[in-house]
Amino acid sequence: MKHKAQKKRIGLVLSSAPGYSETFFRNKINGLQAQGHDVILFVDYAPDPNQNYPCLVVTNAQLDGAFVKRFIGLLGIFLRTLFLHFRKSAQLYQLDRADGLPLKSRARNLILNEFLLNYSLDWLHFGFGMLAYQRENVATAIGAQMAVSFRGFDLYLSPLKHPGCYDLLFKKQVCYHVLSHEMKNTLIAQKVSSEHITVITPAIDTEFFKNVIQEEQKSVLRIVTIARLHWKKGLEYTLEALAQLAQSGVVFQYSIIGAGEEQERLVFAAYQLGVLESVKFLGQLTPKAIREQLAQSDLYLQYSIQEGFCNAVLEAQAMRLLCVVSDAEGLSENVLHNKTGWVVPKRQPSLLADQIMNILKLSKAEQQKIKTTASRRVQEEFNLSKQQIEFEQFYA
């Protein structure tokens, strides 16, 4: 007879409370609490007062503003360190000293992490790798097990911006969560034991993103991408490929859903490539509006330079779109080449254009087979119930 897993108190550390589009963390919190666990969300920045969050949210002290305000904040932290959790603070200080951190760094870590020391937890889980930087000893200090999630950006790009940022972390007893087997192999290459790494892929609400019977393909090919307007999403390469399609006589309408700092550059690129009239920048949309855009589209492109896994690709497959992705990190596990879609080497827009042309030459029956296989796989392998069970096992 199976016994119900013991209730755990899990602290989840993020830089800020998840926004409207960050369904991964919201779904995870909801799933854990539905299993009887107590989740506390620790954030460095104050949450949006207009949003409801499914758990207690604890915010770090805001040490900004005028000198008097900062002084009062520091005084409050000092008093809480002395009188509320002196033992945990002393333990953190001693652990940092044993790691060879200088006095200034030890004092800074006490200040930055004081808001975490006030709670008794079974698990302290950092939602991104860089959030564990300078917090490598906090879990031990409060008597909790430590977990770290890596996504594409923090695993592949953060070490380039901050050399050595994970050197201390990788020496600690940590349970790692990654999104793909490619990412697991990256950690193993850093001498992390495979026994301490768990692959739990993203998941989507398969009831919300249901299969739909799409209209017959019209004379205008409807293409869509959901992505933050950031260089790592490879959108300029995508536009170059689409310009080649236009030169071949393909009439298309390309919709980009998302916002970001690269919009001006991308608009200018589309203009110079001669496809601006065929490109729409739709900005951020609600999940319902995204579903409507997917339902109206024929082809989904995610030609990223770097990508951990990508929920949007799962949503597109669930909605029976033909999907073409790059071979960046987890995308080749998200889409199975020639089975559930197509994987094209990144940074090669000519190959992307050729692949799209080949897809357009497929018979309707061949296209439907790809759509059906992709949709069924997402329904079976990337649903929220399966993900919740996997996280339940992760904390067991």
Side-chain angles (χ1 to χ4, degrees):
M1 179 179 177
K2 291 185 179 180
H3 297 280
K4 188 174 181 180
Q6 183 180 3
K7 178 180 177 180
K8 301 287 198 315
R9 199 177 200 200
I10 301 165
L12 178 61
V13 183
L14 299 175
S15 59
S16 58
Y20 84 98
S21 64
E22 296 174 283
T23 55
F24 177 89
F25 291 111
R26 287 181 174 272
N27 291 334
K28 177 182 176 180
I29 293 169
N30 287 328
L32 289 171
Q33 296 201 144
Q35 294 294 326
H37 300 296
D38 182 18
V39 180
I40 302 175
L41 180 60
F42 296 94
V43 296
D44 288 316
Y45 303 102
D48 184 348
N50 297 317
Q51 291 200 43
N52 294 320
Y53 299 100
C55 64
L56 173 64
V57 180
V58 179
T59 305
N60 202 351
Q62 304 300 299
L63 298 177
D64 52 10
F67 171 79
V68 174
K69 183 180 179 181
R70 295 199 304 272
F71 177 79
I72 293 174
L74 284 170
L75 180 61
I77 291 174
F78 177 72
L79 293 174
R80 289 193 296 272
T81 298
L82 284 180
F83 297 108
L84 294 183
H85 36 72
F86 176 79
R87 183 186 62 80
K88 294 177 183 177
S89 298
Q91 176 77 343
L92 176 59
Y93 182 88
Q94 293 296 334
L95 289 169
D96 283 348
R97 186 171 70 173
D99 284 333
L101 271 67
L103 177 61
K104 183 178 179 180
S105 296
R106 284 176 263 157
R108 179 191 58 204
N109 286 356
L110 284 176
I111 294 171
L112 292 177
N113 299 309
E114 183 274 333
F115 77 126
L116 297 169
L117 301 175
N118 197 36
Y119 291 84
S120 296
L121 303 169
D122 296 298
W123 283 88
L124 185 63
H125 192 150
F126 297 93
F128 295 89
M130 280 302 293
L131 292 176
Y133 179 60
Q134 299 180 341
R135 289 167 167 165
E136 294 87 353
N137 291 315
V138 175
T140 302
I142 64 177
Q145 296 186 75
M146 182 176 179
V148 175
S149 288
F150 275 112
R151 286 161 180 79
F153 190 93
D154 53 335
L155 181 56
Y156 295 103
L157 301 182
S158 292
L160 300 179
K161 297 171 64 176
H162 310 283
C165 59
Y166 299 136
D167 289 354
L168 181 57
L169 177 67
F170 290 155
K171 297 176 182 178
K172 301 296 180 179
Q173 281 292 110
V174 179
C175 293
Y176 294 97
H177 155 237
V178 294
L179 305 181
S180 68
H181 291 281
E182 174 72 19
M183 297 177 72
K184 179 176 181 177
N185 291 335
T186 299
L187 283 183
I188 292 173
Q190 296 295 323
K191 310 302 182 184
V192 176
S193 171
S194 62
E195 297 179 354
H196 298 153
I197 309 169
T198 301
V199 178
I200 303 177
T201 66
I204 64 169
D205 185 347
T206 52
E207 289 300 311
F208 183 80
F209 292 99
K210 282 184 176 294
N211 299 359
V212 296
I213 304 300
Q214 293 179 289
E215 303 173 9
E216 293 293 327
Q217 184 170 311
K218 298 180 180 178
S219 57
V220 177
L221 178 65
R222 297 160 299 185
I223 308 172
V224 64
T225 295
I226 304 171
R228 183 163 55 98
L229 305 186
H230 187 278
W231 64 262
K232 80 186 193 83
K233 297 297 182 178
L235 291 167
E236 194 161 350
Y237 293 110
T238 306
L239 292 172
E240 290 178 16
L242 294 181
Q244 294 181 36
L245 285 186
Q247 293 171 4
S248 299
V250 177
V251 181
F252 64 86
Q253 184 68 58
Y254 181 43
S255 298
I256 303 175
I257 301 172
E261 63 271 24
E262 293 287 307
Q263 180 163 343
E264 183 178 48
R265 171 181 159 182
L266 292 169
V267 169
F268 190 65
Y271 166 74
Q272 286 196 320
L273 291 165
V275 295
L276 184 57
E277 291 185 359
S278 300
V279 179
K280 291 182 179 179
F281 292 87
L282 301 181
Q284 289 185 333
L285 299 180
T286 65
K288 183 177 180 180
I290 288 174
R291 182 178 61 180
E292 292 173 355
Q293 287 292 324
L294 291 174
Q296 297 167 11
S297 301
D298 306 301
L299 181 67
Y300 185 91
L301 301 180
Q302 194 76 49
Y303 198 54
S304 302
I305 299 170
Q306 186 281 308
E307 193 74 59
F309 202 85
C310 192
N311 281 37
V313 176
L314 294 177
E315 295 165 359
Q317 291 176 90
M319 295 286 287
R320 297 178 60 85
L321 274 72
L322 297 168
C323 294
V324 184
V325 302
S326 76
D327 60 354
E329 286 81 52
L331 284 176
S332 58
E333 296 175 43
N334 190 323
V335 171
L336 304 181
H337 185 58
N338 282 332
K339 295 180 180 179
T340 65
W342 296 268
V343 180
V344 178
K346 55 182 175 283
R347 300 180 186 271
Q348 300 191 48
S350 293
L351 293 183
L352 177 58
D354 289 344
Q355 182 63 77
I356 296 173
M357 292 295 292
N358 289 335
I359 293 169
L360 296 180
K361 295 175 184 176
L362 293 175
S363 68
K364 183 177 179 181
E366 290 172 315
Q367 292 185 2
Q368 290 297 330
K369 181 180 179 180
I370 292 285
K371 292 178 182 180
T372 300
T373 304
S375 177
R376 183 181 297 123
R377 178 171 178 257
V378 171
Q379 296 282 334
E380 294 175 354
E381 298 295 328
F382 301 101
N383 60 76
L384 294 177
S385 296
K386 181 174 181 291
Q387 185 190 69
Q388 290 171 2
I389 292 172
E390 291 170 340
F391 272 116
E392 175 79 7
Q393 296 170 344
F394 181 86
Y395 294 118

